[in-house]
Amino acid sequence: MKHKRSILLYVMAGAVLSALFLVFSSAIQKIIIQAPLGPKGFIISTLFGLASGALLGLYIYRVKQARALAEQANESKRAFLANVSHELRTPLNGIVGIVELLKASSASAKQESYLKVIERSAKRLEHLIHNMLDVSNLDSGEIFFVNRKFNLCHLIDTLLDRVAADIQERKLSLYRDIQFTSQMQLIGDSTKVEQLLQNLLENAIKFTEEGTISLIVRELPGEAGQKRVEFQVRDTGIGVEPQLQKEIFSLFAQAENSYRRRYKGAGLGLTICQRLVQYMGGEIRLESTPGQGSNFIVLLPFQIAETSSIGHA
């Protein structure tokens, strides 16, 4: 009943507005050119205006209804992602805890190798769960940034140690070129910066079967009290076709479905990278040649930390 009443209101409003517009138009016509429409012409014009106004009102209602349904669907999707992520986290924490206990026991060399495989797989799953939660939070605008003092060089060292096992497992080489003052302290959300770089590195590792993964960091001049940092994550992998490069940051997107089946990716990482960069006031772009590799370039602004400066956002 409420649905029908809403349609009727929009139709009536559109019809009345169109009729008023035609009456006003006929009055203007009479004043300017001294040629009224006449009774028959006025009736026909009014009926035409009522009909077109009714259609306009119905169209506006349909557009509003479609927008409301789309927003409701997006909210349901976000709630589903958040619920699934939280449900997966509980058993995963149990697996990680048991692995830690087994590592502390007197396990044989073969058993330790098995435990490392389980631990690495659990960490990958945990990272995927974090990505699912972040997609949900970024879509709803409920993601928070905590800006505090951190050492960028220390962050990069920790990150590269974390992905070293994956690089060795795929028999790739790692090249690093850090052109940044090692003792300089920046102010920013180090957790988000680390997540951004980890997603880019994991993407490079996933799509590279042989060759080199490179991380290049350059310090660029900025305004007073600020520092811009350029990050480049290069690979010698499959590359991306030019017509597909604009879509590479889309949610659940990979270059082609055949790549998704072959490389087994959810397509979340690059979407999160782009949105994190936008939230941090930076830029991200892709340079890629099919069959030769890709280079993801990120430019982020930071405040330079004073010796006792710690801020929160």
Side-chain angles (χ1 to χ4, degrees):
M1 190 68 181
K2 184 178 179 181
H3 176 72
K4 292 181 179 179
R5 193 160 48 239
S6 298
I7 296 178
L8 183 60
L9 286 174
Y10 274 101
V11 170
M12 290 176 62
V16 170
L17 287 174
S18 295
L20 290 174
F21 174 75
L22 283 171
V23 171
F24 178 75
S25 298
S26 63
I28 294 296
Q29 182 184 20
K30 183 177 180 181
I31 293 171
I32 296 176
I33 62 176
Q34 303 296 322
L37 292 174
K40 186 180 293 185
F42 180 78
I43 292 173
I44 293 173
S45 297
T46 302
L47 290 175
F48 177 78
L50 288 170
S52 60
L55 290 174
L56 177 63
L58 182 61
Y59 172 76
I60 293 173
Y61 172 79
R62 292 299 187 190
V63 169
K64 286 182 172 289
Q65 186 184 42
R67 183 180 301 169
L69 289 174
E71 291 176 354
Q72 184 179 4
N74 284 333
E75 183 61 33
S76 298
K77 179 189 70 177
R78 288 193 291 267
F80 172 76
L81 284 173
N83 290 334
V84 169
S85 299
H86 285 300
E87 290 297 326
L88 288 173
R89 189 189 299 272
T90 301
L92 180 60
N93 288 338
I95 294 172
V96 173
I98 293 297
V99 169
E100 291 296 329
L101 291 174
L102 290 173
K103 285 172 63 179
S105 64
S106 55
S108 65
K110 192 172 185 179
Q111 289 172 334
E112 286 183 359
S113 66
Y114 293 156
L115 290 174
K116 287 180 179 179
V117 172
I118 297 173
E119 185 179 33
R120 192 156 58 245
S121 299
K123 287 182 178 179
R124 287 177 181 172
L125 181 56
E126 184 179 24
H127 184 60
L128 177 59
I129 292 172
H130 287 161
N131 281 345
M132 292 173 65
L133 281 172
D134 284 337
V135 166
S136 176
N137 292 334
L138 286 165
D139 277 345
S140 62
E142 296 178 354
I143 193 163
F144 301 97
F145 288 78
V146 179
N147 294 329
R148 57 182 51 156
K149 185 167 62 174
F150 73 98
N151 185 291
L152 181 60
C153 291
H154 175 71
L155 182 150
I156 291 172
D157 288 339
T158 303
L159 175 61
L160 293 180
D161 287 342
R162 186 180 306 145
V163 300
D166 292 333
I167 293 175
Q168 292 174 2
E169 182 182 2
R170 294 181 66 88
K171 298 180 180 178
L172 303 172
S173 59
L174 173 64
Y175 172 77
R176 54 184 291 170
D177 181 9
I178 313 301
Q179 302 175 21
F180 193 85
T181 306
S182 60
Q183 299 302 318
M184 182 178 293
Q185 300 284 320
L186 301 176
I187 294 179
D189 193 321
S190 59
T191 302
K192 298 297 189 298
V193 174
E194 187 173 357
Q195 180 185 12
L196 165 67
L197 295 177
Q198 182 172 344
N199 280 342
L200 291 176
L201 285 168
E202 288 183 348
N203 181 78
I205 295 168
K206 182 196 308 180
F207 292 102
T208 304
E209 295 185 346
E210 60 180 4
T212 304
I213 305 297
S214 302
L215 175 61
I216 302 168
V217 182
R218 291 194 176 98
E219 178 183 335
L220 302 177
E223 298 179 2
Q226 293 185 344
K227 186 69 64 177
R228 293 188 304 156
V229 182
E230 182 187 75
F231 304 91
Q232 294 189 34
V233 177
R234 299 177 182 174
D235 64 63
T236 55
I238 59 176
V240 182
E241 295 288 343
Q243 66 270 22
L244 299 174
Q245 292 182 16
K246 292 182 179 179
E247 304 174 6
I248 202 68
F249 295 106
S250 300
L251 187 60
F252 302 115
Q254 286 183 354
E256 293 181 6
N257 287 333
S258 59
Y259 290 160
R260 181 188 300 277
R261 290 191 297 268
R262 182 177 179 183
Y263 294 98
K264 300 179 182 179
L268 295 174
L270 294 180
T271 299
I272 293 173
C273 288
Q274 184 190 47
R275 297 185 186 181
L276 285 175
V277 169
Q278 289 174 347
Y279 271 94
M280 289 188 282
E283 304 171 10
I284 183 171
R285 70 181 190 272
L286 167 64
E287 296 176 353
S288 184
T289 303
Q292 296 183 21
S294 300
N295 183 21
F296 286 89
I297 303 170
V298 176
L299 185 63
L300 292 179
F302 295 98
Q303 294 288 329
I304 300 175
E306 298 178 1
T307 52
S308 60
S309 173
I310 297 180
H312 297 275

